[in-house]
Amino acid sequence: MTGKSCVSVEQFDKELVLELCKFAALLEVTEIASSHPLDELIVITAFFEASTRTRLSFESAALRLDAKVISIPDGKTTGSAKGESLADIGEMMNAYGDLVIMRHTDTNSINEIHEKLRLPLINAGNGTGEHPTQALADWYAILKWNPKLKGVVKDDEKITLGILGTPGSMRAVRSFLEMSLLFKENIKEIHIVSELADPLGAILTQKLEEADVHPHITNDINEVISELDVIYMNSIAFLGDGYKTLDSRFKLHKGSKLKSDAVVLHPLARLDELNTNLDETDHNLYFTQAHGAVFVRQALMISMLDRFDRLPDDIPFV
Amino acid sequence: MTGKSCVSVEQFDKELVLELCKFAALLEVTEIASSHPLDELIVITAFFEASTRTRLSFESAALRLDAKVISIPDGKTTGSAKGESLADIGEMMNAYGDLVIMRHTDTNSINEIHEKLRLPLINAGNGTGEHPTQALADWYAILKWNPKLKGVVKDDEKITLGILGTPGSMRAVRSFLEMSLLFKENIKEIHIVSELADPLGAILTQKLEEADVHPHITNDINEVISELDVIYMNSIAFLGDGYKTLDSRFKLHKGSKLKSDAVVLHPLARLDELNTNLDETDHNLYFTQAHGAVFVRQALMISMLDRFDRLPDDIPFV
Amino acid sequence: MTGKSCVSVEQFDKELVLELCKFAALLEVTEIASSHPLDELIVITAFFEASTRTRLSFESAALRLDAKVISIPDGKTTGSAKGESLADIGEMMNAYGDLVIMRHTDTNSINEIHEKLRLPLINAGNGTGEHPTQALADWYAILKWNPKLKGVVKDDEKITLGILGTPGSMRAVRSFLEMSLLFKENIKEIHIVSELADPLGAILTQKLEEADVHPHITNDINEVISELDVIYMNSIAFLGDGYKTLDSRFKLHKGSKLKSDAVVLHPLARLDELNTNLDETDHNLYFTQAHGAVFVRQALMISMLDRFDRLPDDIPFV
């Protein structure tokens, strides 16, 4: 990933995901602060679409590596609110930092900023596009839970995946589904829980065809819950600025008929689709998921900025 | 205070206040930056209710101790604005920092975030609840002005305190009044200046009863001004989003019949209740109060994060 | 500039501008981070009028010198929005930082904050007043393009300047024009392109009279374009919150009849008055201008905070 931007899951193959997860795992247990890996580098967190959780996650990841941070916490007061092009904002950033983390409501924002931006960029969410580092964090958690999935498992060890949401229009969900395709040999079945008849859209449908993966669509989680090993929950109640009421077909709680060793993911924030009464159970992988996200993002930043030489000797690295 | 949160004046006894003030005084005169006391720690300033003054005060205090800061400057764009629980935000913060400073419009916010938060937290204002570090800053200034109050003074040296505001609903005023009870043996009388008949409310009234302290309520500062040694002014013109016009019964200026050696406190920001023509007089303790607040907050942070071992040798500490 | 505020171009003579530009040029080529020039200092970026570009420029400049930064990214949630005086905000800043960078919608804000502020301040734009560091960045770029202008050039080497905008009410334009007067001996003619009959206003008109400089006013850039050596473009489409449509008399693009070696400046952000098809041409000095702004601001900050002694030995300095 050296010198490159991280904008789409399409940049990843299984091997790269495993490398980054291995690196993240080492970062999680190694005292790294005293090596000052990103010393003298400036990370620009450009959240034209505000997000406290993701912004703080990246800022914490960067600061713990001794980078410095400058921040656009909200797009409303920026030049882009007045009509300035993202290309020009990209040119501006070339002068101010070394790495950009960007979230934007416009799916085409990644292309636009790259007309001029010469710094590596991490896409933290572009409209209905992608959210690749979230998918990395998701799979980092899954591989922690079941390390065998790093290799190729036997048929009876394959997992059944449940995804709540609309991959075709929800970027975190799309990225998760696409990254899951890299592990398809270990996946028995994918169930997508959505109220829409076609939650995938044309492009994803084609990708799945090409990958010879055929998810089953249902509009009720309870129909499939007892088959699921990994359940990817989502807050789907918000559509744009409106809020719609979910019913039990899209909610998970302690009483749901989960397999005894099933685990739940959720990129958070959540409303009531994922009941807090699951927090203290062994099904809760979503807090691990959130904690691990910082290390995955650190692994990515050190790689993109080529600062391997700064790591302490006890992190052996390829 | 090691490892604990600082959420209420009720956590303090007179001895702890004196310890923190002594520590703050040492920090004020000792060059501490080169010891990097909070090195490698991240302070999260979570201002769901925005406040430039208090946020900058904490950020300056933290940065001067070499901590790093990540910031939520305003709650409007956060997940909580969309319905995310503070408990979940607390869980998130466990992954991102080492200490939280929080201000929130909801009085119950402190309880809610502590459902999940495992980091020490400083309450920078919770609805109509408390503002304990402001009270510490207030008394730090008073003790600087009259160090004898650290001990037990003779009857004729006791001070008369005037408090403008509504302790029952104004958190800084409540915290100041409650902290003053720790010094009650040195206080002759407390006058509360408020337009309300009951500016205390039931809970405070009870605490005062238990402390055997009986404030005198008046609705005109001029009635009592010539008896006051310490006058705690406040901006009471704002109630919620509305503004009401104050009259001279709630204002202080050079012409007010202050005792010659009386001092004035004000947590600031101020409107016209505290006239700028008092700024250049000896009555002005409010600028000292503001400047000292940074050191009191530093003392608290070093204590809570147990970084005493990082202090230079010339700060002898218990 | 040691210990002083930088509020107006009137503080500069040609010699000081050249010194700062020389210093900026050294900073641009010298590895300075390891000297930590502004170590232990806190820069407060107070953007009561939000501006991503300028704020990030200063924050990047400060962080690369190892200063720390605390930020007011937007004035809407500050005490001043509620009626707190800028004087009181200045007193507050005395306690929190070492240098203030301020942008404000009110032209009188610089005077008001100086009633109490004791820290050096850089004016990043005050209403319709000035924007001195932008003018410094502008001339830093011009002197890079034509170093002879540092001295006194022969008659046939004098430049013709074109300025699009309303110096009388647009602060960056005003500051640029005023700083250009310091180089008047090298300027043959100044053309101001504005739709107003009097784009200068009374005060500027007087200053120009006193400087014996007589700009020519036109309302069509195409009338004068082929004489211009340096063209200072501006986004004039915004007046307050409204937007007006510009026509070709106020636009520049590849097809405009520019002199072959003419250069274009623009403080950015831009709309369509400066066409992107000029970006890849040799006329583009505006990206150099933006990149150089960081170093000019660094030169100013090191000077104002008197940190020359921290520079590496290979920056010889007066």
Side-chain angles (χ1 to χ4, degrees):
Chain A
M1 294 295 308
T2 302
K4 295 200 190 134
S5 289
C6 172
V7 297
S8 164
V9 169
E10 290 187 351
Q11 298 173 265
F12 294 83
D13 58 19
K14 180 175 175 177
E15 197 186 322
L16 180 56
V17 174
L18 293 179
E19 280 290 310
L20 280 164
C21 288
K22 183 164 96 173
F23 191 6
L26 279 163
L27 290 171
E28 198 160 350
V29 299
T30 310
E31 195 278 300
I32 196 155
S34 50
S35 313
H36 312 296
L38 301 189
D39 195 28
E40 294 171 20
L41 299 178
I42 293 181
V43 174
I44 303 173
T45 54
F47 278 71
F48 297 99
E49 178 189 323
S51 157
T52 303
R53 180 177 296 274
T54 308
R55 179 171 63 81
L56 259 49
S57 174
F58 274 105
E59 292 189 1
S60 180
L63 288 174
R64 289 203 190 282
L65 297 177
D66 252 326
K68 299 172 201 283
V69 173
I70 55 184
S71 174
I72 302 172
D74 187 341
K76 287 205 206 67
T77 53
T78 62
S80 55
K82 289 185 180 173
E84 183 177 19
S85 71
L86 264 173
D88 276 356
I89 287 176
E91 179 60 47
M92 165 184 95
M93 290 176 172
N94 291 334
Y96 299 154
D98 301 289
L99 173 75
V100 178
I101 318 288
M102 184 171 84
R103 173 171 283 196
H104 201 289
T105 47
D106 182 351
T107 309
N108 198 41
S109 55
I110 299 291
N111 291 331
E112 284 186 36
I113 203 170
H114 274 105
E115 286 176 30
K116 291 269 164 58
L117 183 69
R118 294 187 296 275
L119 307 178
L121 173 144
I122 296 177
N123 175 14
N126 61 321
T128 58
E130 298 224 33
H131 192 358
T133 65
Q134 184 59 53
L136 273 171
D138 303 336
W139 271 93
Y140 181 56
I142 292 173
L143 294 172
K144 260 195 206 174
W145 160 70
N146 187 349
K148 285 185 181 176
L149 298 173
K150 294 182 197 175
V152 182
V153 300
K154 298 196 289 261
D155 270 6
D156 61 347
E157 290 177 316
K158 292 188 182 186
I159 60 169
T160 301
L161 207 52
I163 299 177
L164 187 104
T166 314
S169 60
M170 296 173 71
R171 59 192 179 214
V173 189
R174 177 206 308 278
S175 288
F176 176 68
L177 175 56
E178 291 208 37
M179 191 161 278
S180 300
L181 297 182
L182 301 178
F183 295 87
K184 65 181 183 179
E185 62 208 331
N186 291 337
I187 297 173
K188 185 163 78 176
E189 176 114 49
I190 298 179
H191 294 278
I192 295 174
V193 182
S194 166
E195 35 170 22
L196 303 183
D198 174 22
L200 296 168
I203 297 173
L204 257 182
T205 302
Q206 169 125 354
K207 284 189 184 177
L208 292 164
E209 289 281 337
E210 286 163 9
D212 196 30
V213 169
H214 310 283
H216 164 246
I217 319 287
T218 174
N219 72 353
D220 186 343
I221 199 173
N222 298 298
E223 262 187 32
V224 297
I225 188 76
S226 48
E227 302 169 43
L228 305 177
D229 297 295
V230 175
I231 307 146
Y232 187 90
M233 290 298 289
N234 241 287
S235 185
I236 62 174
F238 277 101
L239 287 174
D241 289 322
Y243 177 83
K244 66 186 207 292
T245 317
L246 295 177
D247 59 47
S248 63
R249 295 174 294 148
F250 303 100
K251 295 190 189 187
L252 208 62
H253 55 91
K254 217 164 167 181
S256 307
K257 299 196 187 314
L258 293 152
K259 281 174 80 171
S260 63
D261 53 1
V263 287
V264 181
L265 296 173
H266 194 312
L268 300 169
R270 67 173 153 179
L271 296 173
D272 59 358
E273 68 279 354
L274 174 59
N275 200 298
T276 56
N277 64 21
L278 277 163
D279 293 359
E280 303 300 318
T281 70
D282 288 339
H283 299 299
N284 178 353
L285 195 62
Y286 38 95
F287 286 170
T288 301
Q289 178 188 12
H291 281 250
V294 178
F295 300 101
V296 154
R297 284 163 176 154
Q298 286 185 328
L300 200 54
M301 286 191 280
I302 293 172
S303 303
M304 289 168 66
L305 292 163
D306 195 15
R307 282 295 183 96
F308 294 110
D309 56 312
R310 301 283 190 122
L311 299 171
D313 295 332
D314 47 321
I315 293 197
F317 219 73
V318 178
Chain B
M1 294 296 308
T2 302
K4 294 199 190 138
S5 289
C6 171
V7 299
S8 164
V9 170
E10 289 186 355
Q11 298 172 265
F12 293 84
D13 58 17
K14 180 174 176 177
E15 196 186 324
L16 180 55
V17 174
L18 293 178
E19 281 290 310
L20 280 164
C21 289
K22 183 165 96 173
F23 191 5
L26 279 164
L27 290 170
E28 197 161 351
V29 299
T30 311
E31 195 278 298
I32 196 155
S34 50
S35 313
H36 311 295
L38 301 189
D39 195 28
E40 292 170 22
L41 298 178
I42 292 181
V43 174
I44 303 173
T45 54
F47 278 72
F48 297 99
E49 177 188 322
S51 158
T52 303
R53 180 178 295 274
T54 308
R55 179 171 64 79
L56 260 49
S57 174
F58 274 105
E59 292 189 0
S60 180
L63 289 174
R64 288 202 191 283
L65 297 177
D66 253 326
K68 299 171 201 285
V69 173
I70 55 185
S71 174
I72 302 172
D74 187 342
K76 288 206 206 68
T77 53
T78 62
S80 55
K82 288 183 180 175
E84 182 178 21
S85 72
L86 264 173
D88 275 358
I89 288 176
E91 179 61 46
M92 165 185 96
M93 289 175 172
N94 291 334
Y96 300 153
D98 301 289
L99 173 74
V100 179
I101 318 287
M102 185 170 86
R103 174 170 284 196
H104 202 289
T105 48
D106 182 351
T107 309
N108 198 40
S109 54
I110 299 290
N111 291 332
E112 284 186 37
I113 204 170
H114 274 104
E115 289 176 28
K116 290 270 164 57
L117 183 70
R118 293 187 297 277
L119 306 178
L121 173 144
I122 295 178
N123 176 13
N126 61 321
T128 58
E130 298 222 33
H131 193 357
T133 65
Q134 184 60 54
L136 273 171
D138 302 337
W139 271 93
Y140 181 55
I142 292 173
L143 294 172
K144 261 195 205 173
W145 160 70
N146 186 348
K148 285 186 183 177
L149 299 173
K150 295 181 195 175
V152 182
V153 299
K154 299 195 290 260
D155 270 6
D156 61 348
E157 290 178 315
K158 292 189 182 187
I159 59 169
T160 301
L161 206 51
I163 299 177
L164 187 104
T166 313
S169 60
M170 296 176 70
R171 59 194 178 212
V173 189
R174 177 206 307 277
S175 288
F176 176 70
L177 176 56
E178 291 208 37
M179 190 161 281
S180 300
L181 297 183
L182 301 178
F183 294 87
K184 64 181 181 178
E185 62 208 333
N186 291 337
I187 297 173
K188 186 164 76 175
E189 175 116 48
I190 298 178
H191 294 279
I192 295 174
V193 183
S194 166
E195 34 170 23
L196 302 183
D198 174 21
L200 296 167
I203 298 173
L204 256 182
T205 301
Q206 169 126 353
K207 284 190 183 177
L208 291 164
E209 289 282 324
E210 286 163 10
D212 196 29
V213 169
H214 309 284
H216 163 246
I217 320 286
T218 173
N219 71 352
D220 186 344
I221 197 173
N222 298 298
E223 262 187 30
V224 295
I225 188 74
S226 47
E227 300 169 41
L228 304 176
D229 298 293
V230 175
I231 307 147
Y232 186 90
M233 289 299 289
N234 241 286
S235 185
I236 63 174
F238 277 101
L239 289 173
D241 289 321
Y243 177 84
K244 67 186 207 291
T245 317
L246 295 178
D247 59 48
S248 63
R249 295 174 294 149
F250 304 100
K251 296 191 188 186
L252 208 62
H253 56 91
K254 216 163 168 184
S256 305
K257 299 193 188 314
L258 293 152
K259 282 174 76 168
S260 61
D261 52 1
V263 287
V264 180
L265 296 172
H266 194 313
L268 299 169
R270 66 172 154 180
L271 296 173
D272 59 358
E273 69 279 354
L274 174 58
N275 200 299
T276 55
N277 64 20
L278 278 162
D279 294 358
E280 302 300 318
T281 69
D282 288 339
H283 300 299
N284 179 353
L285 196 60
Y286 38 94
F287 287 170
T288 302
Q289 178 189 12
H291 281 251
V294 178
F295 300 103
V296 155
R297 286 164 175 154
Q298 287 186 328
L300 200 54
M301 287 192 278
I302 293 172
S303 304
M304 289 168 66
L305 293 163
D306 195 13
R307 283 296 183 96
F308 293 111
D309 56 310
R310 302 282 190 121
L311 300 172
D313 294 332
D314 46 319
I315 292 198
F317 218 73
V318 178
Chain C
M1 294 296 309
T2 302
K4 294 199 190 137
S5 290
C6 171
V7 299
S8 163
V9 169
E10 289 186 353
Q11 297 171 266
F12 292 84
D13 58 18
K14 180 174 175 178
E15 196 185 324
L16 180 55
V17 173
L18 295 178
E19 281 290 310
L20 281 164
C21 288
K22 183 164 97 173
F23 191 6
L26 280 162
L27 290 170
E28 197 161 350
V29 299
T30 310
E31 195 276 300
I32 197 157
S34 50
S35 313
H36 313 295
L38 299 190
D39 194 29
E40 294 171 19
L41 298 179
I42 293 181
V43 174
I44 303 173
T45 55
F47 278 71
F48 297 99
E49 178 189 322
S51 158
T52 303
R53 179 179 296 274
T54 308
R55 179 171 65 80
L56 259 50
S57 175
F58 274 105
E59 292 188 2
S60 180
L63 289 174
R64 290 205 190 281
L65 297 177
D66 252 326
K68 299 173 202 282
V69 173
I70 55 185
S71 175
I72 302 172
D74 187 341
K76 287 205 205 65
T77 53
T78 63
S80 54
K82 289 186 181 174
E84 182 177 22
S85 71
L86 264 172
D88 276 357
I89 287 175
E91 179 61 46
M92 165 185 98
M93 290 176 172
N94 291 335
Y96 301 153
D98 301 288
L99 174 75
V100 179
I101 318 288
M102 184 171 86
R103 174 171 284 195
H104 201 289
T105 48
D106 182 350
T107 309
N108 197 41
S109 54
I110 299 290
N111 292 332
E112 284 186 35
I113 203 170
H114 275 105
E115 286 175 30
K116 290 268 164 58
L117 183 70
R118 293 187 298 275
L119 307 178
L121 173 145
I122 295 178
N123 175 15
N126 61 323
T128 58
E130 298 223 33
H131 193 358
T133 64
Q134 183 60 54
L136 272 172
D138 301 337
W139 271 93
Y140 181 55
I142 293 174
L143 294 172
K144 261 195 205 172
W145 160 69
N146 186 349
K148 287 186 181 177
L149 298 173
K150 294 181 197 175
V152 182
V153 300
K154 299 195 289 263
D155 270 4
D156 60 348
E157 290 176 317
K158 292 189 182 187
I159 59 169
T160 301
L161 207 50
I163 300 177
L164 186 103
T166 313
S169 59
M170 297 174 71
R171 59 192 177 213
V173 189
R174 177 206 306 278
S175 289
F176 176 69
L177 177 56
E178 291 207 37
M179 191 162 279
S180 301
L181 297 184
L182 301 177
F183 294 88
K184 65 182 183 180
E185 62 209 332
N186 292 337
I187 297 173
K188 186 164 78 176
E189 175 116 47
I190 299 177
H191 294 279
I192 295 174
V193 182
S194 165
E195 35 170 19
L196 302 184
D198 174 21
L200 296 168
I203 297 171
L204 257 183
T205 302
Q206 169 125 353
K207 283 188 185 178
L208 291 164
E209 289 281 325
E210 286 162 11
D212 196 29
V213 169
H214 311 282
H216 165 245
I217 319 286
T218 174
N219 70 353
D220 186 346
I221 198 173
N222 298 298
E223 262 187 31
V224 295
I225 188 77
S226 48
E227 302 169 42
L228 304 177
D229 297 295
V230 174
I231 306 146
Y232 186 90
M233 289 298 289
N234 240 285
S235 184
I236 63 174
F238 277 102
L239 288 174
D241 291 319
Y243 177 83
K244 66 187 208 293
T245 317
L246 295 178
D247 59 47
S248 62
R249 294 174 295 149
F250 303 101
K251 296 190 188 187
L252 208 61
H253 56 90
K254 217 164 168 181
S256 306
K257 300 196 187 314
L258 292 153
K259 281 175 79 167
S260 61
D261 54 0
V263 288
V264 180
L265 296 172
H266 193 312
L268 299 168
R270 67 174 152 179
L271 296 173
D272 59 358
E273 68 279 353
L274 174 59
N275 200 300
T276 57
N277 65 20
L278 278 163
D279 293 359
E280 302 299 319
T281 70
D282 288 339
H283 299 298
N284 178 354
L285 195 62
Y286 38 96
F287 287 171
T288 302
Q289 179 189 11
H291 282 251
V294 178
F295 300 102
V296 155
R297 286 165 174 152
Q298 286 185 329
L300 200 53
M301 287 192 280
I302 293 172
S303 303
M304 289 168 66
L305 293 164
D306 195 13
R307 283 294 184 96
F308 295 110
D309 56 311
R310 303 280 190 122
L311 300 171
D313 294 334
D314 45 322
I315 293 198
F317 218 73
V318 177

